[in-house]
Amino acid sequence: GENVEQHPSTLSVQEGDSAVIKCTYSDSASNYFPWYKQELGKGPQLIIDIRSNVGEKKDQRIAVTLNKTAKHFSLHITETQPEDSAVYFCAASRGDYKLSFGAGTTVTVRA
Amino acid sequence: GAGVSQTPSNKVTEKGKYVELRCDPISGHTALYWYRQSLGQGPEFLIYFQGTGAADDSGLPNDRFFAVRPEGSVSTLKIQRTERGDSAVYLCASSLMLAGGTGELFFGEGSRLTVL
């Protein structure tokens, strides 16, 4: 099955700085790569996703890049704000529903 | 309601007992999913329903776990003879079916199960 590894496990950044989270996956047939944000006591919420036919996608302060050859993808958050503090999960799947998640990155934005 | 609703939010039970966890998906969402999240880990896929039928139950860990969705809306996850290792947050999600695949998964807040 798919194995997704995520780094770092914790990340502390100064407000206004950028945050980068990296993931690798094992199944070369995976074609869907979403990122989720989970706040304490809440369920994961989709923040951005990318499919295998695209190398990069941006949505305001958030961007995701995908390197299919190397089987890795990354989340970039620019101009971080205190409300960006949360646990972020990457995931991968063949198709959309049977997601394999990474172990998560706890992001803390220092004011 | 506006989002995916899960009950109970917290359940404490004793080893060997039977437990039911309920999920009420977003109205109109035909696809429903159960995931399990252990402390400090990402969610793990359990089962996927398309309408009333389980389209993929390959993530259910063993035959103590069973899920139903009899009318294609509300789903119940059933765990028999609970074990301490079953302790986790059980997440339900729902989505629309779109041309070419499922749409965005919307997760509920989860049911935290503790087996003593």
Side-chain angles (χ1 to χ4, degrees), chain A residues 24-97:
Chain A
T24 60
Y25 62 98
S26 61
D27 186 353
S28 56
S30 288
N31 57 7
Y32 177 61
F33 307 92
W35 286 88
Y36 286 83
K37 176 182 181 183
Q38 188 172 29
E39 297 176 339
L40 199 61
K42 304 287 187 182
Q45 181 178 16
L46 180 71
I47 55 172
I48 194 167
D49 57 11
I50 191 167
R51 298 187 185 271
S52 58
N53 57 346
V54 175
E56 183 175 357
K57 185 176 178 181
K58 284 186 77 171
D59 183 4
Q60 299 182 0
R61 298 187 296 109
I62 294 173
V64 58
T65 59
L66 171 65
N67 183 326
K68 284 213 72 181
T69 303
K71 290 190 284 189
H72 67 70
F73 55 115
S74 301
L75 178 72
H76 304 251
I77 307 173
T78 59
E79 301 170 20
T80 52
Q81 301 168 3
E83 53 264 37
D84 294 330
S85 295
V87 181
Y88 291 80
F89 292 96
C90 62
S93 73
R94 301 185 185 190
D96 299 352
Y97 70 89

Side-chain angles (χ1 to χ4, degrees), chain B residues 19 27 29 33 43 58 60 82 108 112:
Chain B
V19 165
S27 178
H29 281 192
Y33 320 78
S58 61
L60 294 177
T82 51
R112 180 177 297 279

Side-chain angles (χ1 to χ4, degrees), chain B residues 8-105:
Chain B
S9 55
N10 274 287
K11 176 70 177 179
V12 180
T13 191
E14 293 179 342
K15 180 175 179 293
K17 298 291 188 182
Y18 170 80
V19 165
E20 288 191 352
L21 306 175
R22 176 190 165 106
C23 174
D24 202 339
I26 293 172
S27 178
H29 281 192
T30 57
L32 184 144
Y33 320 78
W34 286 97
Y35 281 76
R36 177 169 71 173
Q37 187 172 24
S38 300
L39 192 63
Q41 299 297 317
E44 294 178 290
F45 171 79
L46 296 177
I47 187 170
Y48 158 55
F49 285 91
Q50 183 53 250
T52 59
D56 186 342
D57 65 357
S58 61
L60 294 177
N62 51 59
D63 61 6
R64 295 187 298 106
F65 288 75
F66 190 70
V68 295
R69 194 185 185 200
E71 298 178 356
S73 179
V74 171
S75 176
T76 304
L77 178 66
K78 307 181 180 196
I79 312 174
Q80 298 178 320
R81 305 183 303 280
T82 51
E83 299 177 357
R84 292 193 181 88
D86 298 336
S87 297
V89 175
Y90 288 82
L91 293 165
C92 178
S94 69
S95 74
L96 291 168
M97 283 303 296
L98 305 175
T102 58
E104 175 183 346
L105 270 66

